[in-house]
Amino acid sequence: MLTKRIIPCLDVDEGRVVKGISFIDLRDAGDPAELARFYDQAGADELVFLDITASSSDRDTMKSVVENVSEQVFIPLTVGGGIRSIDDMIGMLESGCDKVSINTAAIRDPKLVQEAAKYFGSQCIVSAVDAKRVILPDEIQTKEFEIPKYIPGEVVLDENSRWEVYTHGGRNRTGIDVVKWCSLVTSLGAGEILLTSMDTDGHENGYDVELLSAVSDAVSVPLIASGGAGNLDHLKDAIQIGGADAVLAASIFHFGSYTVSEAKTYLSENGISIRP
């Protein structure tokens, strides 16, 4: 049985780790390199570094910050935010990360996922998906976005859609169905899905297990749950109910509610296979 992973997340804005609620109201959580070293020593299985304003600010990922973080960890490091090309990915991997996460750039042109998977291998490519629940039927009909020309029609929102993909750090609608999009990017070669619920992110009331279940049923690659962890039961539910292969969390670790060790012990005691 494959073990489940616990992954602290470093959302970085202007060189500092921040944490918000539903992608807004950001508050400072510390220095990226110091937190990276702390989590490496605390027994985290992996670490995710997301430059959350790189795409919305139309700038590159802060390479120097990534280098400082990578020097502090001996666990797998995933970096995302502002990565738009194969050259950008090469730069990040040369800075010390093990995997690259792409979101906005993949929406602009899904062929980037395919090209990256062929160039680096699927194990290196993480498709990050920011999802927001569709509440009203007329939201599907609202044409306040322009669907990129490379997006195939079969992934566009329809009357059965429950969640919509957002880009640019959760700022822009796409008109794309989350479950269909996850199926597409994995067929193109993405080796993992990092799925964040914008509705639950930062609220600490639990992951959107319905969203996780829908995506985990639709894809065969590992699924990382993100957005909403407030206690250890939430981690357990994301795995046992949502079908997640890994749980990503920020607030509960950054602000001292729980340690990685406590989380691993709790999950293990509840029958979930966890790395020591």
Side-chain angles (χ1 to χ4, degrees):
M1 179 185 297
L2 293 177
T3 57
K4 305 301 183 182
R5 292 167 287 154
I6 294 179
I7 307 175
C9 181
L10 306 181
D11 288 332
V12 178
D13 180 25
E14 301 297 335
R16 296 287 293 179
V17 177
V18 295
K19 191 68 193 87
I21 298 176
S22 295
F23 289 32
I24 59 175
D25 297 330
L26 303 179
R27 55 174 171 158
D28 189 273
D31 177 76
E34 290 180 3
L35 280 171
R37 181 171 61 251
F38 170 78
Y39 287 128
D40 182 76
Q41 296 173 352
D45 297 307
E46 297 186 18
L47 194 66
V48 167
F49 174 109
L50 299 177
D51 190 334
I52 61 173
T53 54
S55 291
S56 60
S57 300
D58 195 28
R59 61 170 172 77
D60 295 334
T61 307
M62 293 183 176
K63 188 173 181 179
S64 62
V65 181
V66 174
E67 290 173 344
N68 290 338
V69 168
S70 67
E71 289 174 356
Q72 303 300 323
V73 300
F74 297 93
I75 54 178
L77 172 65
T78 298
V79 172
I83 296 175
R84 305 177 183 88
S85 65
I86 297 296
D87 285 343
D88 288 343
M89 296 177 193
I90 292 172
M92 288 300 100
L93 292 167
E94 288 178 345
S95 296
C97 76
D98 302 278
K99 294 182 274 189
V100 291
S101 169
I102 52 176
N103 180 352
T104 299
I107 296 291
R108 287 173 176 159
D109 186 0
K111 288 186 294 184
L112 177 62
V113 178
Q114 189 172 43
E115 293 170 359
K118 289 181 179 179
Y119 195 98
F120 302 104
S122 292
Q123 80 288 343
C124 191
I125 308 303
V126 178
S127 177
V129 181
D130 295 333
K132 190 171 184 179
R133 190 175 289 266
V134 175
I135 305 298
L136 301 173
D138 60 358
E139 290 183 359
I140 294 175
Q141 305 303 324
T142 301
K143 297 301 182 182
E144 59 185 55
F145 44 76
E146 181 178 352
I147 299 172
K149 63 180 180 179
Y150 295 114
I151 295 295
E154 60 264 25
V155 302
V156 174
L157 293 173
D158 59 32
E159 64 275 8
N160 296 314
S161 297
R162 301 290 305 280
W163 300 273
E164 181 178 357
V165 177
Y166 279 64
T167 61
H168 296 84
R171 291 166 175 78
N172 297 347
R173 294 183 63 182
T174 64
I176 296 171
D177 180 282
V178 167
V179 178
K180 295 176 182 177
W181 174 249
C182 289
S183 295
L184 174 63
V185 292
T186 55
S187 72
L188 292 174
E192 283 185 296
I193 299 289
L194 170 53
L195 181 61
T196 301
S197 167
M198 293 175 58
D199 302 297
T200 61
D201 179 74
H203 291 273
E204 301 185 35
N205 292 319
Y207 300 93
D208 187 337
V209 293
E210 186 179 2
L211 167 64
L212 292 172
S213 296
V215 173
S216 66
D217 287 344
V219 303
S220 57
V221 301
L223 174 63
I224 304 170
S226 171
N231 60 49
L232 301 183
D233 276 335
H234 296 155
L235 307 183
K236 174 173 67 70
D237 290 345
I239 295 170
Q240 293 184 333
I241 301 175
D245 300 278
V247 284
L248 181 146
S251 297
I252 63 170
F253 295 140
H254 293 345
F255 303 118
S257 300
Y258 301 95
T259 67
V260 172
S261 178
E262 288 171 338
K264 289 194 169 191
T265 298
Y266 180 82
L267 295 179
S268 180
E269 289 174 346
N270 280 272
I272 296 172
S273 181
I274 290 290
R275 297 174 185 175

